[in-house]
Amino acid sequence: MNKRWLSVVLVLAVTAGCTAREPAPAPQCDSKLAAAFGAWARAGFSGAVAVSTGGRFECLAGYGAADDATGARNTADTVYSIGSVSKAFTATAILQLADAGKLSLDDRAGELVPAIVGPAAKATVRQLLLHTSGINGSIGADDKPLDRAGAIAAINKLKLAFPPGTSDAYSNTGYTLLALIIDTVSGLSYRDYTRTQVLTLPGGAVTGGFWHGRPAPAGPFAAGYLDDGEPSRSRDFTGPYWTTEGNGSLAMTTRELATWARALFRGGLVTPGSAKLAGDPGYPVGDGRAYTLGGWMAFDATAYGEPIVAIAGGGGDVGHNVAVLWIPERDQVIAMSSNRSVLTAEKLLAATVRSLVAGHPLPTPTAPAAGADPAAIAGRYRLETGGSFEVTVAGNRPRVSALGPDAVGALFPARGRFSAEDLREHEKRVLSVLAGQTDEGREERKGVAAEYGPISAVASDGTVVAEGEMRTYVTLTTRDGPRLGWYAVDEHSTIAGAELPTQPPALPLVPVGTDRYRPDDPTGTGPDVTLDFAGGQVTVSGPAGTTTARRSR
């Protein structure tokens, strides 16, 4: 089972126009940006970067391999799935239709699409755009065929987590409903409208297309690689595609994404008034952040020194990750795409955003300490409380996995805006869902049973913070044996993401001394822990104290 909030499954697909093992063009960046992004590439970033100011590109660069099988390199003209960034394109279509007088943002979904007759019919267009509709749950896995009628039927069955407009909950299905509204109101199919009115810029240039099916983007496609380095699934899903239409079905190059974003905010795709709505705060969600009517997240000046607008998507079993930043005061767009999880586009942007916004030189990762012997620390280390750490080494690069809630808690302490209490509450919600105490939980149990046999027991294996969300790892005991997976749920107990089966949570390590290691996390967004290996044991030190495990093999 794949993450619900991820839009599509990635895989390699290189067009006939791309020559195997052809070297990528040299990065076209000013010297300071080239040096900084080159350092991040050496630390593990694989993907592309596009930076434009006033419509003029000052950086167009690719780093790393787009496809290990062919040797093709990443460039600014390599195609990536843009995942949930697709929501900004759906929102733009809605704003266009509002500009044309074909709908009002306060129209209800059931009025615009008469076939929508369930609770979702009460939600307004505005509420759908701002994730305040209350629509709760999924209408199917991303790679399962679902036609238009099936999507409508599935939406009609969904219950609302709260009365529309009274709270917020990120909803992929809400944006699928927006796609149905576009499909109905425009007189064109969702894909035809998106291609001709949203992806086509003033002057006729077309930016991208759909990851699965047609119309497809022009250009070589990047392969996606998972946490273990293995390629993701093949790009051969034949549809129909209504599980991802509107919420995550688009793909394009990093150059195209940056060009499109500027066209949106400069009024090239919608009226000036709607362009302002696309970037202005629309519904506050805390910490200086607010959803916009354009599908983006607006940050006020308290976050980074001046107002900015950003959006990101991808990750998990997709293999691709995309992040876009718009700095209105400088008429500047920064777009980043990646095809490996070692150092994603989102993580790179998180590490550099303050400097980018301030116009300062970018920070770069530090080199690991010399003198360490990673092979010497490989093995299993057991805690007295039952859990364990597993250290493996491949290519002189160590990696530590946590098995059991005690080990997970030590290696992945609460951080950022999530407290230890938040993690405990998340675990309770996940266990409640998997116990079948919600409609979606009962559907999830049915899905697991269909694939692995009935669930006889559910046990927690700890909760971590990853990719900006809480994830609770669980062992599901089924007819076919125990299965480790993770689930992310929101405050309304809606499943926001899931992966089953999965590997235990793990961190790559880098030496900071002869026997001391820290997470290989040059962005500084990972767990704040240190591992000291000495005397046949490992001591993990973090914000909550220390935990010691003895080597068992």
Side-chain angles (χ1 to χ4, degrees), residues 68-468:
D68 290 346
T70 66
R73 309 295 294 174
N74 283 311
T75 77
D77 295 312
T78 301
V79 174
Y80 304 84
S81 162
I82 66 170
S84 285
V85 177
S86 302
K87 292 180 175 66
F89 291 74
T90 299
T92 298
I94 291 291
L95 293 175
Q96 287 177 342
L97 292 171
D99 287 341
K102 294 188 176 182
L103 59 79
S104 163
L105 297 185
D106 294 314
D107 287 341
R108 297 189 184 279
E111 297 168 349
L112 297 172
V113 185
I116 298 294
V117 295
K122 301 176 183 178
T124 67
V125 173
R126 186 184 306 275
Q127 291 161 349
L128 292 169
L129 289 170
L130 295 175
H131 298 286
T132 61
S133 67
I135 291 178
N136 188 31
S138 166
I139 58 172
D142 292 348
D143 58 348
K144 298 298 182 184
L146 185 70
D147 61 17
R148 188 180 187 280
I152 290 172
I155 291 172
N156 284 340
K157 293 178 182 178
L158 295 178
K159 296 181 179 179
L160 299 183
F162 49 83
T166 63
S167 186
D168 67 283
Y170 189 86
S171 177
N172 282 329
T173 302
Y175 270 72
T176 295
L177 181 47
L178 288 170
L180 288 166
I181 290 172
I182 295 164
D183 188 274
T184 304
V185 171
S186 71
L188 298 172
S189 72
Y190 168 72
R191 290 201 167 200
D192 284 345
Y193 185 91
T194 300
R195 170 76 173 185
T196 58
Q197 304 300 316
V198 182
L199 296 179
T200 302
L201 301 176
V206 177
T207 53
F210 290 85
W211 184 255
H212 289 296
R214 297 183 181 278
F221 290 84
Y225 295 91
L226 307 180
D227 290 349
D228 58 5
E230 292 297 313
S232 57
R233 284 183 283 178
S234 61
R235 191 176 149 267
D236 58 2
F237 176 41
T238 57
Y241 312 104
W242 272 96
T243 52
T244 58
E245 298 289 60
N247 68 69
S249 54
L250 294 175
M252 63 189 59
T253 73
T254 312
R255 181 203 301 262
E256 290 173 327
L257 184 54
T259 301
W260 184 89
R262 182 174 187 269
L264 168 65
F265 290 115
R266 297 293 292 179
L269 293 166
V270 293
T271 64
S274 287
K276 189 173 186 298
L277 290 177
D280 280 357
Y283 185 88
V285 293
D287 299 326
R289 301 170 300 141
Y291 289 126
T292 81
L293 286 167
W296 297 66
M297 184 72 78
F299 295 78
D300 66 21
T302 64
Y304 298 109
E306 65 179 80
I308 62 171
V309 185
I311 192 169
D317 63 353
V318 173
H320 288 195
N321 183 257
V322 173
V324 191
L325 174 68
W326 164 247
I327 307 175
E329 292 299 317
R330 291 212 300 275
D331 188 10
Q332 186 174 62
V333 180
I334 297 102
M336 300 178 181
S337 305
S338 60
N339 66 328
R340 298 173 196 271
S341 63
V342 176
L343 207 170
T344 64
E346 272 187 90
K347 288 182 178 179
L348 178 54
L349 184 58
T352 57
V353 62
R354 291 189 182 277
S355 297
L356 287 166
V357 173
H360 294 159
L362 301 189
T364 55
T366 55
D373 180 13
I377 66 172
R380 175 72 64 90
Y381 297 79
R382 293 194 178 277
L383 294 160
E384 290 185 357
T385 47
S388 62
F389 303 109
E390 180 81 20
V391 179
T392 57
V393 180
N396 209 39
R397 297 173 66 88
R399 181 181 179 89
V400 59
S401 302
L403 299 90
D406 47 357
V408 170
L411 196 60
F412 296 89
R415 61 183 175 88
R417 68 179 188 272
F418 300 112
S419 67
E421 180 61 25
D422 290 333
L423 268 60
R424 287 191 290 270
E425 289 300 316
H426 184 269
E427 178 181 307
K428 291 178 183 177
R429 291 197 299 272
V430 168
L431 293 178
S432 174
V433 168
L434 294 178
Q437 295 180 18
T438 67
D439 288 343
E440 191 176 17
R442 288 186 282 274
E443 288 300 313
E444 182 67 19
R445 289 180 65 94
K446 289 179 183 178
V448 172
E451 192 159 358
Y452 303 115
I455 299 173
S456 58
V458 180
S460 172
D461 283 279
T463 301
V464 307
V465 176
E467 298 183 26

